[in-house]
Amino acid sequence: MNILLIQKDGVDLHHTLFSSETSRLVLRFYHPKKRPCGAYISCGALSSALSLVSELRWYIRRYVREPLFGFGEGIWFTHQLAQDVYYERTAVLGPGWEFRKLYGFRDGKLISQVMMSPGSTIEEYQQEYAGVDTSIEVWCTEDELGERIDNEPDTGSSNDSQDGE
């Protein structure tokens, strides 16, 4: 199991994690690797990955755009889906997972996300990703499928949403 912590714009996450004694202590057995988009951490199992993300919660809220969990060859999944798989056991992951997004990175920054159609492949979206250095497939829950990436800088204020109820 692997964790990819996608850093917020303007943050050097690897440096930030190692400049804090608290996070250094939490990460002492994991040896995070610096990536252009943030930090990559190898863990033994989904349970240890979820535990580590929980221990780093303060840093994740402040410096991380999104934590992703590695599920296999080039497939990542969201924190919510990881929790559903581990705690709720409501999701059974496997080939043909219906709820997927495609994240595009340029110069280490997450610049776009596209909702993928069921049964489609990354190659089918290459036209939309001209100018993108790297793209990854991200599996998510049905509820997360419609969420958009917040490209605005974090100002500390929250946006009120309206439920239609």
Side-chain angles (χ1 to χ4, degrees), residues 2-128:
N2 300 308
I3 305 168
L4 179 63
L5 300 175
I6 300 174
Q7 64 197 8
K8 290 183 178 180
D9 292 342
V11 172
D12 180 348
L13 184 60
H14 191 265
H15 174 75
T16 300
L17 291 173
F18 282 100
S19 65
S20 163
E21 184 176 349
T22 302
S23 60
R24 275 196 316 270
L25 184 62
V26 169
L27 293 166
R28 71 188 175 275
F29 300 116
Y30 293 97
H31 312 290
K33 308 272 187 286
K34 184 174 182 151
R35 295 290 186 256
C37 64
Y40 176 88
I41 305 167
S42 291
C43 293
L46 178 58
S47 58
S48 60
L50 287 168
S51 178
L52 180 59
V53 166
S54 178
E55 287 187 62
L56 293 171
R57 182 178 44 239
W58 185 85
Y59 299 93
I60 289 172
R61 284 185 181 155
R62 186 163 185 167
Y63 303 112
V64 174
R65 182 179 282 247
E66 183 172 13
L68 298 176
F69 296 80
F71 176 63
E73 297 179 30
I75 298 174
W76 296 89
F77 52 96
T78 62
H79 190 220
Q80 182 61 53
L81 183 57
Q83 289 178 319
D84 286 358
V85 167
Y86 187 74
Y87 295 113
E88 306 294 327
R89 306 208 191 280
T90 56
V92 179
L93 303 179
W97 183 253
E98 188 175 351
F99 311 111
R100 301 173 300 140
K101 299 178 186 181
L102 187 61
Y103 286 14
F105 296 87
R106 183 181 315 133
D107 299 326
K109 293 182 182 179
L110 180 60
I111 60 167
S112 62
Q113 77 176 358
V114 173
M115 292 179 280
M116 297 177 70
S117 302
S120 63
T121 63
I122 290 178
E123 291 76 26
E124 295 174 35
Y125 295 89
Q126 292 305 320
Q127 294 287 41
E128 298 173 13

